Amino acid sequence: MAEDIKTKIKSYQTAPFDSRFPSRNQTRNCRQNHLDFHRWEKAMTAKGGDVSVCEWYQRVYKSLCPISRVSTWDNHWAEGTFPGKI
Amino acid sequence: MAYPMQLGFQDATSPIMEELLHFHDHTLMIVFLISSLVLYIISLMLTTKLTHTSTMDAQEIETIWTILPAIILILIALPSLRILYMMDEINNPSLTVKTMGHQWYWSYEYTDYEDLNFDSYMIPTSELKPGELRLLEVDNRVVLPMEMTIRMLISSEDVLHSWAVPSLGLKTDAIPGRLNQTTLMSTRPGLYYGQ
């Protein structure tokens, strides 16, 4: 399972089609992947697992989210004021 | 690109735009047929000395001119809906490019692998070289691979903008706080202009 994820991450081209967000507005897609990445990271660190498998979500949200939005969220994380349930 | 005295659309660069061109020709032909029919009938009505003094009912012609427009409208609607659904087909893109609108320039971000972003300002009219197009040339152009499905995510950093490339049949609004997605597939290499 971890090997599949690693091969998927290695052959990453761009964010694939997500059937949860099929229409034109992709704002939720971007935010959802960002939340999923931080949830994975938190869960993996708590369990002591390999955090590198969370990289898939990181690549997807980096592909989808504007750089300015990502840096605003990173500032929120640094200050501990990110508005989202993890 | 646009040229002086242009009457129709620019040449199509993507399959969707080709379909739109054919649909436009089909619908415009129907419109011309109807207009010329109506003009002809008006000219007939105005240039006759015959009168009909006892018109009571006209069931047959009323049936014809109710059913015929319904058929014509269906003939227009079916290709239109076909193209509409074709534009929304699921396709796995190979590249994602984000474009953010600012006052008054576009910035482009290619973040699939490394972070690459640049601003694209319009070249002012006073600095154009001979042969360049007024109000359309920019300093940094967006470079895209051809014959690959590309996902464009369009948004804005300040006010509402709109990102359009006519030869690809694209126009999408750039709304602050919202990411609008559109897919693009160019069938031939070239330089395409938009706003």
Side-chain angles (χ1 to χ4, degrees):
Chain A
M1 181 62 190
E3 285 75 21
D4 294 334
I5 298 257
K6 286 203 190 301
T7 5
K8 244 173 57 164
I9 293 175
K10 250 197 188 164
S11 56
Y12 179 82
Q13 280 196 327
T14 191
F17 170 73
D18 193 340
S19 55
R20 295 174 298 173
F21 313 101
S23 51
R24 192 159 285 238
N25 188 2
Q26 296 287 302
T27 327
R28 298 274 330 158
N29 195 354
C30 150
R31 184 168 167 83
Q32 192 60 44
N33 276 292
H34 184 84
L35 283 174
D36 286 345
F37 169 67
H38 282 279
R39 284 180 188 149
W40 264 77
E41 216 185 8
K42 179 176 169 189
M44 280 308 216
T45 342
K47 275 176 26 177
D50 181 17
V51 186
S52 64
V53 297
C54 316
E55 199 192 326
W56 174 260
Y57 292 105
Q58 187 178 34
R59 305 275 314 253
V60 171
Y61 91 71
K62 275 201 170 358
S63 278
L64 291 173
C65 303
I67 295 179
S68 55
R69 202 173 293 185
V70 172
S71 57
T72 317
W73 286 340
D74 287 342
N75 290 339
H76 284 153
W77 282 113
E79 291 164 13
T81 55
F82 183 76
K85 203 169 105 170
I86 296 292
Chain B
M1 65 195 193
Y3 50 89
M5 308 288 274
Q6 177 177 346
L7 282 181
F9 292 115
Q10 298 181 18
D11 288 340
T13 308
S14 76
I16 300 282
M17 190 58 194
E18 286 171 19
E19 297 284 340
L20 286 172
L21 278 179
H22 294 315
F23 173 67
H24 176 259
D25 291 343
H26 164 81
T27 309
L28 200 60
M29 177 58 74
I30 293 179
V31 164
F32 282 154
L33 284 173
I34 295 174
S35 312
S36 40
L37 177 68
V38 168
L39 275 173
Y40 176 63
I41 291 177
I42 290 176
S43 66
L44 277 184
M45 295 293 118
L46 291 176
T47 56
T48 180
K49 287 202 168 47
L50 303 167
T51 53
H52 192 321
T53 51
S54 60
T55 308
M56 290 305 291
D57 71 335
Q59 292 285 20
E60 301 82 6
I61 191 155
E62 293 208 356
T63 319
I64 294 177
W65 71 37
T66 309
I67 303 283
L68 197 56
I71 296 178
I72 292 176
L73 285 174
I74 292 178
L75 278 182
I76 296 176
L78 287 177
S80 171
L81 288 173
R82 187 178 66 92
I83 297 179
L84 185 65
Y85 279 89
M86 198 187 291
M87 294 202 301
D88 275 343
E89 269 176 3
I90 298 171
N91 45 19
N92 261 324
S94 325
L95 180 68
T96 302
V97 180
K98 282 167 280 184
T99 164
M100 310 295 292
H102 304 258
Q103 280 177 311
W104 295 100
Y105 61 96
W106 293 100
S107 66
Y108 297 96
E109 301 170 11
Y110 297 66
T111 48
D112 283 329
Y113 305 102
E114 305 280 335
D115 274 356
L116 166 66
N117 60 337
F118 56 89
D119 295 335
S120 179
Y121 282 83
M122 185 190 85
I123 295 185
T125 311
S126 50
E127 292 170 28
L128 284 173
K129 298 196 196 58
E132 286 186 336
L133 299 177
R134 190 180 70 92
L135 301 181
L136 288 175
E137 298 286 349
V138 293
D139 51 3
N140 299 319
R141 294 174 180 158
V142 188
V143 180
L144 296 170
M146 60 174 259
E147 289 182 2
M148 271 168 64
T149 321
I150 300 169
R151 176 198 275 127
M152 290 296 308
L153 290 168
I154 299 160
S155 184
S156 162
E157 297 280 359
D158 38 40
V159 299
L160 293 175
H161 297 277
S162 180
W163 194 81
V165 184
S167 45
L168 291 163
L170 291 179
K171 182 178 286 183
T172 311
D173 288 340
I175 298 165
R178 180 180 163 113
L179 270 183
N180 276 333
Q181 173 184 280
T182 185
T183 39
L184 185 168
M185 218 277 277
S186 146
T187 51
R188 52 196 174 91
L191 185 56
Y192 307 109
Y193 292 89
Q195 283 182 319

